[in-house]
Amino acid sequence: MAQSSVAVSGGPFGTMDKALLLKIHALMVRARVLEERCIKMGRTGEGYFWIGGPGEEAFNVSLGLQVKKGQGPRYDYLNLHYRNSATLLAMGAATIDSIRQMRTVATDPYTKGRNFVNHYCVPEWNVVPVTSTIETQYSSAIGTAIANARTPGDAVTIVTGGDGGTAEGDFHSCLVWANRPVLPLPILIIVVNNHYAISVPEATQHGEKKISDWGKVFGMAAKTIDGNDVAESYAAIQEALAYCRKERKPYLLEAVCSRLHGHSSASGANRVNEPDCIAIFEEKLAAQGIAKKEDFDKVWTQALAEVDAAHQQVKKEPYPAPDTIWDGVYFESLPSSYPRKGGS
Amino acid sequence: MANMVQAIRLALHYGEENLGVKEIFGEDVGPPLGGVFTATQGLRTAWNSPLDERGIVGAAMGLAWAGFRPVAEIQFVDYIFNVIDLLKLAANATWTSGGRYKTPMVVMTPTGSGIHGSIYHSHSFDSIATKLHGMKVVCPSTPLDAYGLMISAIKDDNPVLFLKPKALLRVKGEELIPGEPSDEKELRSMIDAPIGDRSQWKPRWPDVKEYAIPIGQGKISKPGADATVVTHGRLAPVALEVAKAFAAAGTGDVEVVDMRSLVPYDWELIKSSIKKTGRVLFLNEETEITNFGEHLFRRTVDELFYDLKVRPRLLCGKATPGIGLSPVLEYAIVPQKTDVERALRELLDEPA
Ligand SMILES: Cc1ncc(C[n+]2csc(CCOP(=O)(O)OP(=O)(O)O)c2C)c(N)n1
């Protein structure tokens, strides 16, 4: 597809140029196709539990493209949850690596076959280990944000999680620590609100009118946006990151997104009838004359071919050897007298 | 000689100046107090955190992943229970990341009984701490060991839980820390903050030297041929006192093994002592059900059964929901010197 960097001035995309829009579209599609493949692998017994981010691509790609990527406190830290596949792809991750993690093979670069899919870990990009424990990333984000705050430059910490998890203490710890008068933290606190915590509707448990209203208590910058909309997401993230980078202060951003395959494979991971950010985006791109149906078809076909090839490759890769269980108990190797028998 | 809090303070000072420690924090850790037991008084990089243990441990984890070497304090081990999941994450991050992330952080916290602390200032945490696999757990019983273990803990690339026995924090050592002035009054005048207004006070640090005790290395604090007692923390000096009294009275030659590190632990040292004496008492103040000493006990039975002359013993806390304030209750729940005497007497007296 021909790409140009001509700005599409005005209209629904503001100052975003065509090349950027098409890049976002391609990343969203790759992320979707990848997640759909992982769901399928779970169903056919090629993998186990699936949890991921279909429905969050508009927001997550917009986020990944604006990360200051690198290692160490001069770069952004990412304390993510398990729905950020599109963020990782936008940062440059390979689709094959998620397939590896789904199949629990030894080549899984994130966890060596030890953890669920979408539990990434990339030290080179400051992506700290994703964990299943809801909301604990809002506590570790305090630490990476202190590291950013202590380091000259404009790097910030980004933390993401769901609406349900905001009831946990870690969310409130994060708000309190981010707003300490002695050391405000440069941290973009993101809550992706899909209106559910597994089966429990947000409206039945949360009296807050908006989650971003928590920002009012601290007089901090905060906003709620439509996370299904690319332009709105991209602009809001741009504004929030610019604020955190310059002011060295926190920003609370709530993005309302769809949850297109339910919570996880535990509830079947079937497609549900909620607004689809990719369909919405394609409609707008077409309406603005930026791309046509045939262009979109090409992108989908290409993504499918990429994921197919990756999947075939991963099928040939070995599972981890049993004795690798002792690797990484400590950073250095284990002392010889460490008990290893599992009993008598 | 320095007491244990002074020793820890000196080690943290050494860490600030030489080992890259830039963040020492927790509740009341910064000025003016410098920690409820004063372990962080006068330190250049010590600061007060909100009253939030989850935030404290979370901050330490994030800082560790960012390559800092934070030292965080939980004010009393009794208040660590609401961060067990975070400690577990700190402990498993290297493993779950396939060995790619280091988590160089120290969490220090006063532990155990002996200060009439009642239900929430007397707890031990050994058994739970030693189940957070990937975490190292140390517990010194002398100021010099505290100094050397803190330096190793700071340098370690794994999370280290540094248990400070409350009852021993003010006990003076019998060995000088390298670089410590020999006159303890002088040391006090240099590094202890004055009572009252201390806003203008600054410590004068002695030029202490590097002295690292490898984590995982126990010590024999008294050699003996007739029986072994394996212990740590508050009960180590108690066991030593009893062993010395038995030796002086000629009623038994007890070897005292001070573990110093609970995980990884010095199995070779424990094993060789038990092989020599054939009699062993495991001694700690944690409660009885699923006690850490039970693991050592089981391993002894598995690996050293035919070296034993008599059945091994465990002396530990009673499995009550708490430790009562009245000394009668505390002493009935947690092993005291007379209990140690009795247990060692029985161990020595049982016919082989
Ligand atoms: C501390 C903790 N409690 C419970 C769970 C089980 N659990 C997994 S996901 C989830 C719901 C999370 O909802 P939300 O925060 O809204 O995020 P979403 O999954 O909708 O993105 C629960 C309860 C968990 N993983 N961790």
Side-chain angles (χ1 to χ4, degrees):
Chain A
M1 195 184 318
Q3 300 207 340
S4 94
S5 55
V6 180
V8 188
S9 54
F13 298 123
T15 57
M16 295 171 80
D17 68 31
K18 183 174 172 179
L20 175 62
L21 292 167
L22 295 179
K23 182 173 170 184
I24 291 173
H25 175 257
L27 284 164
M28 289 169 71
V29 170
R30 280 174 74 214
R32 178 69 57 83
V33 171
L34 172 63
E35 290 285 27
E36 285 171 350
R37 178 59 51 99
C38 289
I39 292 170
K40 206 162 154 191
M41 287 172 71
R43 292 205 179 117
T44 56
E46 245 194 281
Y48 302 94
F49 181 72
W50 169 85
I51 193 159
E56 297 189 9
E57 293 91 345
F59 186 84
N60 285 344
V61 167
S62 301
L63 178 64
L65 288 178
Q66 298 185 69
V67 169
K68 185 173 176 186
K69 189 177 86 173
Q71 188 164 21
R74 290 182 180 281
Y75 298 92
D76 294 349
Y77 279 99
L78 292 107
N79 295 252
L80 303 174
H81 71 153
Y82 43 64
R83 300 204 193 276
N84 279 108
S85 48
T87 306
L88 264 278
L89 289 191
M91 288 174 71
T95 47
I96 193 169
D97 286 339
S98 294
I99 296 174
R100 288 177 165 135
Q101 195 174 37
M102 187 68 200
R103 206 177 145 90
T104 74
V105 288
T107 46
D108 154 24
Y110 304 132
T111 67
K112 297 210 173 134
R114 290 170 180 180
N115 213 341
F116 292 143
V117 73
N118 288 323
H119 287 54
Y120 342 91
C121 158
V122 191
E124 297 77 16
W125 299 346
N126 283 350
V127 177
V128 306
V130 173
T131 169
S132 301
T133 50
I134 293 296
E135 219 67 4
T136 53
Q137 68 275 22
Y138 289 80
S139 284
S140 60
I142 295 168
T144 58
I146 295 172
N148 291 134
R150 299 284 202 214
T151 307
D154 63 355
V156 303
T157 280
I158 295 161
V159 55
T160 65
D163 49 288
T166 64
E168 298 272 11
D170 305 76
F171 179 67
H172 301 272
S173 290
C174 191
L175 290 174
V176 168
W177 285 67
N179 288 288
R180 288 164 71 222
V182 293
L183 185 70
L185 298 178
I187 171 168
L188 174 53
I189 304 172
I190 293 170
V191 177
V192 174
N193 188 348
N194 59 24
H195 299 305
Y196 287 97
I198 307 187
S199 67
V200 181
E202 184 201 11
T204 63
Q205 305 302 323
H206 283 264
E208 305 99 305
K209 295 225 159 43
K210 287 187 285 175
I211 290 169
S212 66
D213 284 349
W214 285 109
K216 289 183 188 168
V217 177
F218 300 93
M220 70 187 283
K223 199 181 227 179
T224 298
I225 60 151
D226 177 3
N228 284 336
D229 187 82
V230 169
E232 194 172 330
S233 295
Y234 196 90
I237 292 165
Q238 195 166 39
E239 178 191 305
L241 278 174
Y243 175 87
C244 298
R245 293 194 197 290
K246 178 151 182 284
E247 303 297 328
R248 315 307 289 155
K249 281 189 189 160
Y251 192 114
L252 174 59
L253 183 61
E254 175 187 12
V256 179
C257 292
S258 296
R259 189 181 73 168
L260 288 182
H261 282 264
H263 177 72
S264 70
S265 57
S267 49
N270 293 314
R271 177 72 187 234
V272 297
N273 189 21
E274 288 188 26
D276 179 343
C277 59
I278 301 184
I280 295 168
F281 190 37
E282 288 182 351
E283 226 170 84
K284 286 188 180 172
L285 287 171
Q288 295 299 308
I290 297 167
K292 297 191 291 288
K293 179 161 185 316
E294 302 88 88
D295 302 323
F296 302 141
D297 287 348
K298 255 195 240 160
V299 173
W300 285 92
T301 309
Q302 228 171 36
L304 200 60
E306 177 194 339
V307 165
D308 269 339
H311 190 178
Q312 290 314 314
Q313 163 62 29
V314 173
K315 281 183 181 173
K316 292 183 232 152
E317 294 179 351
Y319 292 103
D323 61 2
T324 61
I325 61 172
W326 301 115
D327 299 345
V329 175
Y330 296 130
F331 193 75
E332 69 281 3
S333 55
L334 276 178
S336 58
S337 67
Y338 191 88
R340 292 180 197 227
K341 283 198 293 190
S344 298
Chain B
M1 307 282 174
N3 63 30
M4 195 184 283
V5 267
Q6 289 173 322
I8 290 168
R9 223 186 286 157
L10 289 170
L12 294 173
H13 165 70
Y14 185 86
E16 283 181 334
E17 299 307 319
N18 302 286
L19 304 174
V21 172
K22 293 193 283 267
E23 312 285 341
I24 300 173
F25 55 95
E27 295 157 16
D28 302 289
V29 158
L33 200 55
V36 288
F37 289 97
T38 73
T40 52
Q41 215 168 56
L43 293 167
R44 191 164 52 81
T45 66
W47 47 271
N48 292 321
S49 76
L51 203 172
D52 173 22
E53 290 79 20
R54 294 191 69 79
I56 291 167
V57 174
M61 286 161 63
L63 280 162
W65 290 336
F68 289 53
R69 292 188 174 270
V71 179
E73 179 166 80
I74 297 296
Q75 201 160 64
F76 292 89
V77 85
D78 311 70
Y79 306 118
I80 207 166
F81 289 80
N82 66 342
V83 295
I84 291 174
D85 62 328
L86 291 177
L87 293 174
K88 193 169 168 59
L89 284 176
N92 73 24
T94 295
W95 194 82
T96 51
S97 69
R100 298 172 79 209
Y101 257 100
K102 290 182 193 176
T103 312
M105 62 187 251
V106 181
V107 175
M108 59 175 185
T109 181
T111 188
S113 69
I115 61 160
H116 304 293
S118 85
I119 297 168
Y120 277 101
H121 300 82
S122 304
H123 242 290
S124 294
F125 190 62
D126 307 354
S127 304
I128 299 171
T130 51
K131 290 202 79 72
L132 302 169
H133 307 310
M135 171 92 56
K136 296 186 179 179
V137 184
V138 301
C139 183
S141 74
T142 70
L144 184 62
D145 283 354
Y147 183 82
L149 283 171
M150 181 56 84
I151 286 181
S152 292
I154 290 168
K155 292 167 97 174
D156 208 285
D157 285 331
N158 303 282
V160 180
L161 186 64
F162 191 100
L163 300 170
K164 307 185 274 193
K166 271 169 235 158
L168 301 181
L169 289 174
R170 303 253 177 256
V171 178
K172 285 176 205 154
E174 292 174 1
E175 302 145 305
L176 272 183
I177 289 163
E180 176 190 345
S182 49
D183 176 2
E184 67 191 46
K185 274 206 207 111
E186 189 190 348
L187 178 69
R188 255 183 286 146
S189 74
M190 291 173 82
I191 69 165
D192 285 2
I195 310 286
D197 179 25
R198 48 180 69 162
S199 53
Q200 301 308 312
W201 173 75
K202 282 217 159 38
R204 287 178 296 121
W205 295 105
D207 185 18
V208 285
K209 303 281 186 286
E210 173 128 356
Y211 173 79
I213 293 171
I215 294 178
Q217 200 176 87
K219 75 171 178 191
I220 295 189
S221 41
K222 179 197 162 301
D226 300 339
T228 299
V229 53
V230 179
T231 187
H232 66 274
R234 178 181 77 82
L235 287 165
V238 174
L240 184 59
E241 196 187 335
V242 172
K244 281 182 176 165
F246 280 15
T251 54
D253 189 14
V254 177
E255 180 148 297
V256 182
V257 176
D258 184 347
M259 294 183 71
R260 303 195 292 195
S261 292
L262 303 189
V263 175
Y265 56 85
D266 195 344
W267 179 243
E268 295 308 320
L269 185 75
I270 296 169
K271 188 162 84 175
S272 66
S273 181
I274 297 172
K275 275 183 173 242
K276 179 173 71 177
T277 65
R279 294 171 193 260
V280 61
L281 169 70
F282 296 102
L283 171 65
N284 65 60
E285 59 177 300
E286 259 267 20
T287 59
E288 183 173 349
I289 299 174
T290 320
N291 180 285
F292 173 62
E294 289 179 348
H295 162 68
L296 300 173
F297 197 116
R298 192 273 300 160
R299 198 162 175 190
T300 299
V301 171
D302 273 346
E303 297 184 27
L304 303 170
F305 188 76
Y306 299 104
D307 296 296
L308 293 171
K309 295 186 180 133
V310 297
R311 68 180 172 85
R313 264 85 166 169
L314 172 67
L315 175 60
C316 62
K318 311 269 178 16
T320 53
I323 291 166
L325 177 58
S326 166
V328 177
L329 303 178
E330 178 168 332
Y331 300 162
I333 292 168
V334 187
Q336 305 298 314
K337 189 176 152 198
T338 48
D339 302 307
V340 177
E341 280 167 354
R342 186 178 31 77
L344 281 173
R345 189 73 269 141
E346 284 174 17
L347 179 68
L348 287 160
D349 288 352
E350 185 177 334

